[in-house]
Amino acid sequence: MRPWTIVLLVILIVLIAAIVALYIFGRKAQKKQAEQEKQMEAYKQTVTMLVIDKKRMKLKDAGLPQAVLDNTPKLLRSSKLPIVKAKVGPQIVSLVCDEKIFDIVPIKKEVKATVSGIYLTGVRALRGTLTPPADTKKKGWFKRKVEALQEKAGAKPIK
């Protein structure tokens, strides 16, 4: 056998081992997530709250209880999470918001929210309807250049 075929075989074996390991790790993570979802469903409750503020901030800056910080993995402590500050009854509480509903949570409005511990999982309007804000996402460099070229050519811009 030639030396380059041996190198290719070793690389192929390493790639197959990595794929198998990722598959096993993914299955375990999927089971753990399903278990956590069941637990959150069991503890959820509906409360009326006045949303004061919402931001994406680091866990240590969010004002969450120390027990939450201690139980969080070290890699997650430095990442930014969607945090909602709300007045629930007489006290002001910091809640970690679900990423799916963070954009539709209104600021300085009263809402009926589904809460599971310190995790905000759902929001409904108390009066009227909740409307997501207009898409104010900045366009990337490539998209701006494509639109500029289309305007020069006289073509309709792609949305």
Side-chain angles (χ1 to χ4, degrees):
M1 281 181 121
R2 294 192 173 125
W4 59 272
T5 55
I6 295 172
V7 170
L8 285 178
L9 284 173
V10 168
I11 291 174
L12 183 67
I13 290 170
V14 168
L15 285 175
I16 290 173
I19 289 172
V20 169
L22 285 174
Y23 177 76
I24 292 170
F25 179 72
R27 293 284 294 216
K28 284 184 180 178
Q30 207 171 28
K31 287 179 186 175
K32 191 184 282 187
Q33 184 181 14
E35 186 179 306
Q36 288 173 348
E37 287 290 327
K38 284 182 191 174
Q39 198 173 24
M40 284 179 60
E41 284 294 318
Y43 289 115
K44 75 177 182 181
Q45 53 187 317
T46 304
V47 295
T48 303
M49 64 173 61
L50 173 68
V51 177
I52 298 171
D53 190 20
K54 67 177 188 175
K55 289 183 194 176
R56 294 186 193 281
M57 55 178 40
K58 292 187 178 183
L59 207 56
K60 60 184 175 189
D61 301 332
L64 294 171
Q66 188 63 38
V68 173
L69 295 175
D70 294 339
N71 292 334
T72 306
K74 288 190 178 189
L75 290 175
L76 234 150
R77 289 181 194 170
S78 62
S79 65
K80 290 188 174 184
L81 293 175
I83 303 292
V84 173
K85 289 203 186 284
K87 185 174 183 185
V88 181
Q91 47 184 215
I92 295 175
V93 183
S94 293
L95 301 167
V96 178
C97 186
D98 193 0
E99 195 70 48
K100 294 177 251 176
I101 64 163
F102 183 69
D103 291 333
I104 63 169
V105 175
I107 299 174
K108 298 190 176 147
K109 288 194 179 172
E110 205 166 0
V111 294
K112 264 202 186 291
T114 307
V115 179
S116 178
I118 62 161
Y119 198 67
L120 184 65
T121 57
V123 163
R124 290 188 315 250
L126 206 57
R127 296 173 200 84
T129 59
L130 292 179
T131 54
D135 194 17
T136 58
K137 192 174 183 182
K138 283 177 70 176
K139 292 181 184 175
W141 176 83
F142 184 74
K143 188 143 185 145
R144 286 194 311 258
K145 294 297 179 187
V146 167
E147 286 181 0
L149 289 172
Q150 286 176 340
E151 286 178 15
K152 284 183 182 178
K156 275 187 169 179
I158 300 172
K159 292 188 178 182

